[in-house]
Amino acid sequence: QQQVKQSPQSLIVQKGGISIINCAYENTAFDYFPWYQQFPGKGPALLIAIRPDVSEKKEGRFTISFNKSAKQFSLHIMDSQPGDSATYFCAASKSNNDMRFGAGTRLTVKP
Amino acid sequence: EAEVAQSPRYKITEKSQAVAFWCDPISGHATLYWYRQILGQGPELLVQFQDESVVDDSQLPKDRFSAERLKGVDSTLKIQPAELGDSAMYLCASSPGRAFTGELFFGEGSRLTVL
C-alpha cells in the first residue's frame, strides 16, 4: 500500500541546524502533499502542506520544496529546536482523499 | 479546542478474542477514517466513511475486521478474532465537509497488543 517513500528513517540534528526530510511518490494523480508531525503517544497533526501548482511553501521555520518532474518533495526545518523532536510523516493524496503516508522519520534535535 | 475522541487508549487481548474501538469525530465532520499504524511505520488506511456510508474499505481485512458508522457520527471498529499481527495503533481521523479539504484531524489512537 505504501506509495510514498520517505528518507531518512532517523535524523539527528544539532540545535539551530537545518533538518531535511525527503519523500518520493509514484502516482502522478496525487495532488496534495502534506507533512504530519507526531509526538509519542499522540496522533499525527498537520504541519504544512502543498499542492503541485507551486514549487515551495514556507510557514515560519518550516518549508516544503516540491519537484513535480522528479516526483519528489522535501521538508526543511530551519533553526531546529529540541521541541521539534518528533516523528515526521510525508503523505500524498488524490482529490478524492485516499491519503497515503510515508514510513516516517524520527527527528532528534540535540541541545 | 475540538478533538477526535478515541477509546480505549490501550487494549491488551489474547489472540482469537474480539476487540472493539470507538471513535467520536469532531462535531460536524462528515468524513471519518480508521487507520492502522504498525510500530515504526506510517498510518495505513483501513476504512473511510462519508456520513454513514463506506467510501473505501479496500484495505480492510473483511474476514476479521468490521466497521460501522450507523448514524453518521461516531464509529466502531471491531476485530474478531484478533491475531498476533493485529498489534498496532488504531487511529481515527476526521475531516470537515464532503469535498476533500486536505487536513485530517487525528485522535490519540487506541494501542492494541495481542498476546
Side-chain angles (χ1 to χ4, degrees):
Chain A
Q1 186 183 8
Q2 295 287 346
Q3 297 185 16
V4 180
K5 295 183 180 180
Q6 184 173 346
S7 63
Q9 192 172 25
S10 62
L11 180 63
I12 299 174
V13 174
Q14 290 294 129
K15 179 182 176 181
I18 302 174
S19 304
I20 301 175
I21 306 171
N22 301 299
C23 277
Y25 63 97
E26 299 174 353
N27 190 339
T28 55
F30 289 141
D31 60 4
Y32 177 75
F33 303 89
W35 285 89
Y36 279 79
Q37 179 188 56
Q38 185 176 30
F39 293 104
K42 302 291 186 180
L46 180 66
L47 186 63
I48 187 173
I50 197 168
R51 294 197 182 270
D53 53 344
V54 296
S55 60
E56 184 175 284
K57 183 174 182 180
K58 183 176 181 179
E59 290 183 0
R61 296 184 294 108
F62 301 91
T63 300
I64 298 179
S65 296
F66 185 80
N67 186 330
K68 188 175 182 178
S69 61
K71 294 188 286 186
Q72 295 176 347
F73 59 110
S74 61
L75 175 69
H76 295 232
I77 306 175
M78 310 299 289
D79 187 26
S80 299
Q81 299 297 312
D84 297 331
S85 297
T87 299
Y88 292 82
F89 295 95
C90 62
S93 71
K94 295 175 279 189
S95 55
N96 63 343
N97 297 2
D98 193 19
M99 189 171 293
R100 304 301 176 99
F101 286 82
T105 296
R106 188 170 184 172
L107 172 66
T108 302
V109 181
K110 292 199 168 184
Chain B
E1 183 177 319
E3 296 181 342
V4 175
Q6 289 189 246
S7 66
R9 289 293 310 278
Y10 304 94
K11 178 69 177 179
I12 300 174
T13 191
E14 294 184 344
K15 66 178 182 179
S16 79
Q17 296 299 303
V19 295
F21 304 110
W22 176 80
C23 171
D24 191 12
I26 293 173
S27 179
H29 280 197
T31 309
L32 183 147
Y33 313 78
W34 282 102
Y35 280 84
R36 177 171 60 187
Q37 185 178 21
I38 295 171
L39 190 63
Q41 298 183 19
E44 294 182 312
L45 180 67
L46 291 174
V47 62
Q48 177 185 333
F49 290 91
Q50 184 167 299
D51 300 311
E52 67 278 3
S53 301
V54 173
V55 173
D56 182 358
D57 64 355
S58 57
Q59 301 301 317
L60 187 71
K62 298 181 188 64
D63 57 335
R64 298 184 301 107
F65 286 65
S66 65
E68 60 183 16
R69 193 185 184 199
L70 293 177
K71 297 182 179 179
V73 180
D74 59 339
S75 175
T76 301
L77 177 70
K78 297 180 180 178
I79 308 174
Q80 182 172 15
E83 296 182 353
L84 295 177
D86 297 332
S87 294
M89 175 77 83
Y90 290 84
L91 292 164
C92 179
S94 67
S95 65
R98 289 163 183 81
F100 182 56
T101 56
E103 183 171 3
L104 301 185
F105 295 82
F106 282 89
E108 294 192 329
S110 294
R111 180 166 294 282
L112 173 65
T113 301
V114 182
L115 303 176

